[in-house]
Amino acid sequence: MKIIKFGGKSLSNGTGIKAVISIIENKIINKEKFAVVVSARGNATDDLETILELARQGKDYKSQWQAFKDYQLQPAQSIDFSEEFQLLEKIFEGVQLLEEVSLKVKDLVLAQGELLSSKLVSQLLINNGQKAQSIDSRSIFITDDQFGNAHVLEDVSKENCTKVFDEIEKDNLAILTGFIARSEQDSTTTLGRNGSNYSAALFANFLNAEELQNYTHVDGIYTANPDLVADAKILDQISFQEANELASFGASILHAKTIIPLIEKNISLRILNTFNKNSKGTLICKNGQKKGVKSISVKSGVSLINLEGKGLLGKIGIDARIFNTLGRENINIGVISQGSSERGIGFVVDSNDAENAVKSLLKEFAFDISNKDVSNITTIKNVSVVSIVGQNLQGFSKSYQSLVKNNIDILLINNNISGNNISLLIEEHQVNKAVNIIHSQIFGVAKNINIAIFGKGTVGGSLISQILKSQEQILKRKETRLNIFAVAGSKKLLIQSNGIDQDWETKFEESLNTTESVKEVIAYAESHHLENLIAIDNTASSDFINSYPHLIENGFDLVSSNKIANTVDFEFYQSLRKTLKLHRKEYLYETNVGAGLPLIDTIKLLHDSGENITRIKGVFSGSLSYIFNAFSDSDEDFSAIVKQAMEKGFTEPDPREDLCGNDVARKLLILARELDLQNELEEVQIRNLIPENLRGGQVDSFLQRIEELDQPFKSLKEAQEEDHVLRYVGDLHGDLQQNKGELDVSLVSVPKNSALGQLSGSNSIFEIYTESYGELPIIIQGAGAGAAVTARGVFGDLLRIAEKR
Ligand code: ASP
Ligand code: MG
């Protein structure tokens, strides 16, 4: 036979009770052999408790009492509940008068919830023409007299059970009350809150049932609480042992005691959903499905207590004193952790007990404190225990790294002896995020990368469309979800937690004005528990770089196409790297030099692998590449070529920004610093191509006089050796093993058939000379400018970081 148990929510008015009756009737039609165990309906137990408490305080409880009665009668007005109602009424009146109530009386009151429930269910079945009979389990379960949490005496109870079942009229379906029992002295007792599950397990044991079906309001046991983790999945099958671990760590659908009577007789337990016929639920049986992690559970509302002191080292009996002290106060200790040096002991207690625990420990250790053997007894409140059931320490390393990278502080870590359960202590405000990170690491579901993009100009805009276009493919290929949750312009900020989509530009225009984008983005990420954060700087702003440290401290990795952070003073450069190291964050900026060309990455790799880079030389600027390639090849005036470059969009709006050489100097400096050289921008020798008298003033007035450049450049061109061309190059040389290198930005004449000389269009070229490669440099060449290739480079950096998360 089977035992079918229905919980309070399943039995609630409306869809619940209707579904219960139809589930039972279907089983009757299918000729299944079973007995039913019911909880009190809806919130009956809580409601009775509330009314009783009102009465005890001498307060008016009439309206709550009336509502309770109405609720109980609602599914079948004709039913006779006068016995239960009268009893309750009498008790409430008495309690109100005395303003006092015993646990014994309370049990009698709460028991009525289950009695009303079994009476109603059997009556509804009878009304439908079925044969059913409600059975008061007080005629079966005998307990001690620990009211509120009585202990069942199994042998007598089992005998009673057999007797009662023998006497049930043939073909009658038994509707048994859960939760309630009777003491040896004949008083009503209860088996603890949620005790109906335990009653059902005992019935299954006594009656040698082959299965216990527990009908709840959830689909089964999940890999994690679906309210916390969107990707949580139902577990088909888990073992008793795992269920037990889950029960003790917050999976409230299983009473810890429930499993034992089932294991004893190898009876499987199926968790089913009353409200979802299609769900197959979770089967809990002797053997779980496969080895490995099954579920992540969270227990909130606990506090960590820490006892520290030098004098604890090697001292015997400290632990015993802690346990004894707390034992005397009836305080239960959860997870415990102790350093091998024994300088500190940390353990978890229920938050309600924390204050009392510290108080009694301070008293117990008063002498040791005055002796300075114990230096401190501290509490961290509002922490949660996150347990990963079925996880061993080895398998945990990936999750651990991911938690650390996401700035989750793990206060304490503990694995049980069997090695299949790990518990972490985490502050409550980080729990949501932590559970999601662990879940995605363990179950291999797609990881979320949460991206905030600052700057939506040409590069920023291209990047957004590139990401939106490849999102789906990356999700499939790399199981990584690129979620752009924020886009910030100079005055506006668009935030969308599920990520922006194609119509983001319209939404951006409609978004609110703000001057505090960074602050808002950080606050949003924090309050929405977003993990794997990356901030992208596509601005050209020198102010924005001051937000970098703030972003890093708040859990963001950085990707930047903005060069400024790498070219301001070396002090900033260094302190930024310190902050990054401290917070284990990354900062990638491949596009700072040569746009999307894999230059910085290559240099870093060579340098980090110990290869001596002896010189880096090349044409670093796309606009100046174009200007000198074209000028060398044609007979046109220099000014005409510059104007062409402007028209093609190769230069800045004011071409002097290119021609002055500062941009090339910055790029050169960035490369130098990559080699650990400590140069400053002022130390770069720059050949400024603008004569001094044309450097000031507006663009327009410069352009009116730009022909003044023609003669000098013509002379330069003509003064070259045969088959030579002009190139504007950056050159890092000198002894690069020292603290500083020599950085020159100059206009040079090179043979036309050399690598530099053969450059065409607006391409960039970089020659990297190293010790092992000798005279033959590694050459990296290609489009070194333009919004699309720059965006592509930024995208590459983004993926590089995402991969590591
Ligand atoms: N009605 C009791 C409670 O709510 C027992 C149960 O539902 O399992 O705690
Ligand atoms: Mg319940």
Side-chain angles (χ1 to χ4, degrees), residues 5-9 38-46 110 113-114 178-180 190-199 255:
K5 186 250 161 177
F6 294 98
K9 286 210 176 83
V38 293
S39 289
R41 302 198 310 111
N43 297 321
T45 314
D46 287 335
L110 298 191
E114 267 68 13
F179 183 51
I180 70 174
T190 63
L191 307 183
R193 290 306 304 265
N194 296 313
S196 297
N197 295 317
Y198 180 44
S199 308
H255 193 294

Side-chain angles (χ1 to χ4, degrees), residues 158-375:
K158 188 176 173 181
E159 265 171 48
N160 291 342
C161 184
T162 319
K163 255 187 254 157
V164 167
F165 268 79
D166 280 346
E167 283 163 16
I168 293 177
E169 227 174 279
K170 196 175 159 353
D171 287 345
N172 259 10
L173 175 64
I175 312 292
L176 302 145
T177 56
F179 183 51
I180 70 174
R182 155 170 70 99
S183 74
E184 288 169 297
Q185 292 76 31
D186 262 353
S187 307
T188 299
T189 56
T190 63
L191 307 183
R193 290 306 304 265
N194 296 313
S196 297
N197 295 317
Y198 180 44
S199 308
L202 286 173
F203 280 124
N205 180 302
F206 295 166
L207 296 166
N208 291 318
E210 73 252 12
E211 185 168 291
L212 165 57
Q213 297 188 347
N214 193 338
Y215 276 89
T216 65
H217 60 289
V218 295
D219 279 340
I221 297 183
Y222 283 84
T223 51
N225 181 349
D227 293 339
L228 295 182
V229 179
D231 291 324
K233 289 181 224 144
I234 295 273
L235 295 161
D236 293 340
Q237 203 170 318
I238 62 172
S239 70
F240 284 124
Q241 197 198 342
E242 287 155 349
N244 207 9
E245 304 267 20
L246 281 174
S248 36
F249 288 102
S252 61
I253 114 175
L254 297 166
H255 193 294
K257 286 191 285 189
T258 305
I259 307 295
I260 297 160
L262 301 178
I263 295 179
E264 218 175 81
K265 296 241 170 121
N266 196 11
I267 301 164
S268 50
L269 165 61
R270 198 180 285 279
I271 310 285
L272 290 158
N273 189 348
T274 304
F275 301 90
N276 183 3
K277 273 194 229 147
N278 300 324
S279 153
K280 289 208 323 246
T282 300
L283 184 68
I284 302 159
C285 55
K286 193 167 163 201
N287 303 310
Q289 200 169 25
K290 48 181 183 280
K291 270 204 121 33
V293 179
K294 295 300 187 285
S295 189
I296 304 163
S297 64
V298 177
K299 188 184 162 114
S300 303
V302 298
S303 296
L304 172 66
I305 296 185
N306 238 326
L307 196 115
E308 280 165 47
K310 285 202 197 76
L312 296 181
L313 196 82
K315 216 170 190 175
I316 292 167
I318 301 283
D319 298 358
R321 283 169 65 195
I322 296 176
F323 288 125
N324 285 337
T325 308
L326 298 183
R328 275 197 303 275
E329 298 292 319
N330 229 336
I331 296 171
N332 193 20
I333 301 186
V335 186
I336 303 168
S337 177
Q338 186 168 42
S340 56
S341 66
E342 293 191 36
R343 278 205 183 169
I345 300 166
F347 54 88
V348 169
V349 300
D350 203 286
S351 281
N352 297 326
D353 293 330
E355 215 171 294
N356 190 12
V358 172
K359 220 174 72 195
S360 40
L361 288 173
L362 283 172
K363 214 159 114 198
E364 168 68 29
F365 287 93
F367 184 68
D368 312 68
I369 293 169
S370 71
N371 248 352
K372 302 215 161 58
D373 279 350
V374 172
S375 56

Side-chain angles (χ1 to χ4, degrees), residues 433-481:
K433 188 167 155 187
V435 171
N436 273 284
I437 291 165
I438 300 170
H439 193 268
S440 73
Q441 280 298 342
I442 291 176
F443 295 97
V445 282
K447 67 179 156 198
N448 282 316
I449 303 292
N450 288 300
I451 305 162
I453 298 183
F454 296 89
K456 51 168 279 293
T458 48
V459 174
S462 306
L463 176 68
I464 293 173
S465 29
Q466 286 175 9
I467 293 177
L468 291 179
K469 218 170 134 190
S470 350
Q471 240 166 6
E472 236 181 76
Q473 257 203 355
I474 289 172
L475 181 60
K476 268 198 217 127
R477 269 193 293 140
K478 293 188 180 286
E479 296 208 315
T480 298
R481 190 178 297 121

Side-chain angles (χ1 to χ4, degrees), residues 74-89:
Q74 198 263 349
Q77 299 293 335
S78 60
I79 199 164
D80 181 13
F81 282 154
S82 53
E83 195 186 323
E84 292 79 8
F85 286 174
Q86 273 167 22
L87 175 71
L88 285 169
E89 230 151 79

